[in-house]
Amino acid sequence: MVEDILTRLSYQPGALTKKEKIIAQYVIENGEEVVHMSITELSDLLNVGEGTIVRFCQKLGFEGFHSFKIFLAKSLPNNKNEAESFSSEDLLLQIKTNHINTIVQTYELLSSSKEVLSKCAEIISQCKKLYTVGVGASGATALDAYYKFMRIGIDTFFSQDTHLVAMALATSTSNDVLLAFSQSGSTSVIVDLSKMAKDNNTKIVAVTGHKRSPLAEVADYVLLTPIREAPFESGAIRSKISQLHVLEALFEMTKRNIKERANHYIQQTARAVERWIY
């Protein structure tokens, strides 16, 4: 990994500044940590601006920090996949253990932020309209959120077409809530949509794995997941389990807040599809 980074550094077109050399040295010595960090976390840790990190990455020939992390992840020692040495029984046990640990860790994070979770449920219970957004794997969670809240009578909007989402958010108000899912907290389109909603004083609830991230900074409330993904782990099932666990807790609290209304709409939506269930 060090040789690959040093090789790329030796071919960069201009001399590194003093702060860029600090970034380079930290990356060389702590590559495995960097691939799991957000640009904001690295900025805070090294006391350098995010713009400096982006320029450092561009000097090395990358578009930005994310593409740099992909290169860095490829440069890490390519040890044989640990799962290949497991028997089928051991592999199943390892998967089960990972999933259980994910739920336990997510529970512990939620337990330490009960007031935030309760406030998020409260504002969703009282909102005029709820927007759920996410792309990629997080988009699937946003779709599940749409399905859940719609079924209990919350006026909810979801679309996989980000242009439609942008147009819908252009008319959002202070009575609305945007529920944004992004494991990295640095997905530019989700951050931009959140800023658009913020301009309309719409309340932002972010579900993310990074407390120090662009999405967390724009959000009014942050619900954290404990899983950190490397670039090639995007959409990992552990992240999905953690997101869904947070969503389920948020949904159940909201449902409890509007119990009679929720039960009424659950019965109505169930009757709407019962003719197709044998």
Side-chain angles (χ1 to χ4, degrees), residues 118-224:
S118 179
K119 184 61 179 179
C120 292
E122 178 186 338
I123 63 173
I124 291 176
S125 302
Q126 299 173 354
C127 73
K128 182 178 180 182
K129 195 175 193 70
L130 173 66
Y131 300 85
T132 67
V133 296
V135 295
S138 292
T141 308
L143 174 59
D144 193 47
Y146 163 74
Y147 173 79
K148 284 179 176 294
F149 288 108
M150 174 270 295
R151 286 208 66 194
I152 61 172
I154 303 291
D155 186 4
T156 311
F157 176 89
F158 170 83
S159 176
Q160 293 179 321
D161 186 329
T162 52
H163 286 191
L164 287 179
V165 177
M167 287 186 282
L169 286 173
T171 59
S172 66
T173 72
S174 59
N175 296 318
D176 301 329
V177 174
L178 174 66
L179 179 57
F181 296 90
S182 172
Q183 187 61 26
S184 68
S186 301
T187 307
S188 60
V189 66
I190 300 302
V191 175
D192 287 346
L193 290 171
S194 298
K195 289 179 179 178
M196 182 182 298
K198 190 78 168 181
D199 288 341
N200 291 335
N201 295 316
T202 299
K203 299 175 185 67
I204 314 295
V205 176
V207 180
T208 179
H210 294 266
K211 185 176 182 180
R212 296 290 295 132
S213 65
L215 178 60
E217 286 187 356
V218 74
D220 297 290
Y221 306 96
V222 178
L223 296 172
L224 289 173

Side-chain angles (χ1 to χ4, degrees), residues 151 259-269 271:
R151 286 208 66 194
K259 185 175 180 180
E260 292 185 6
R261 173 184 166 194
N263 289 337
H264 170 72
Y265 278 97
I266 287 173
Q267 291 175 23
Q268 278 196 321
T269 54
R271 283 196 297 268

Side-chain angles (χ1 to χ4, degrees), residues 22-57:
I22 292 174
I23 300 169
Q25 190 62 36
Y26 187 82
V27 169
I28 290 170
E29 296 176 355
N30 304 276
E32 294 206 16
E33 293 180 17
V34 174
V35 296
H36 291 92
M37 297 175 72
S38 70
I39 189 172
T40 308
E41 289 172 326
L42 185 60
S43 172
D44 288 347
L45 180 66
L46 300 182
N47 195 29
V48 299
E50 293 182 16
T52 301
I53 296 174
V54 172
R55 287 190 292 274
F56 165 78
C57 296

Side-chain angles (χ1 to χ4, degrees), residues 88-118:
S88 295
E89 183 177 350
D90 290 340
L91 178 59
L92 290 175
L93 178 60
Q94 183 63 47
I95 292 172
K96 183 190 79 169
T97 301
N98 287 341
H99 292 176
I100 290 173
N101 288 341
T102 295
I103 292 174
V104 170
Q105 291 166 8
T106 307
Y107 163 79
E108 290 173 349
L109 269 180
L110 286 174
S111 295
S112 66
S113 56
K114 289 179 183 177
E115 292 183 3
V116 176
L117 181 63
S118 179

Side-chain angles (χ1 to χ4, degrees), residues 215-263:
L215 178 60
E217 286 187 356
V218 74
D220 297 290
Y221 306 96
V222 178
L223 296 172
L224 289 173
T225 58
I227 307 303
R228 297 297 186 91
E229 292 181 341
F232 297 125
E233 295 176 325
S234 180
I237 191 63
R238 291 181 301 117
S239 300
K240 175 65 64 180
I241 289 171
S242 187
Q243 283 186 342
L244 291 174
H245 193 85
V246 171
L247 172 59
E248 187 72 11
L250 182 59
F251 169 75
E252 289 296 337
M253 280 197 172
T254 304
K255 180 181 172 184
R256 185 178 63 183
N257 288 346
I258 55 171
K259 185 175 180 180
E260 292 185 6
R261 173 184 166 194
N263 289 337

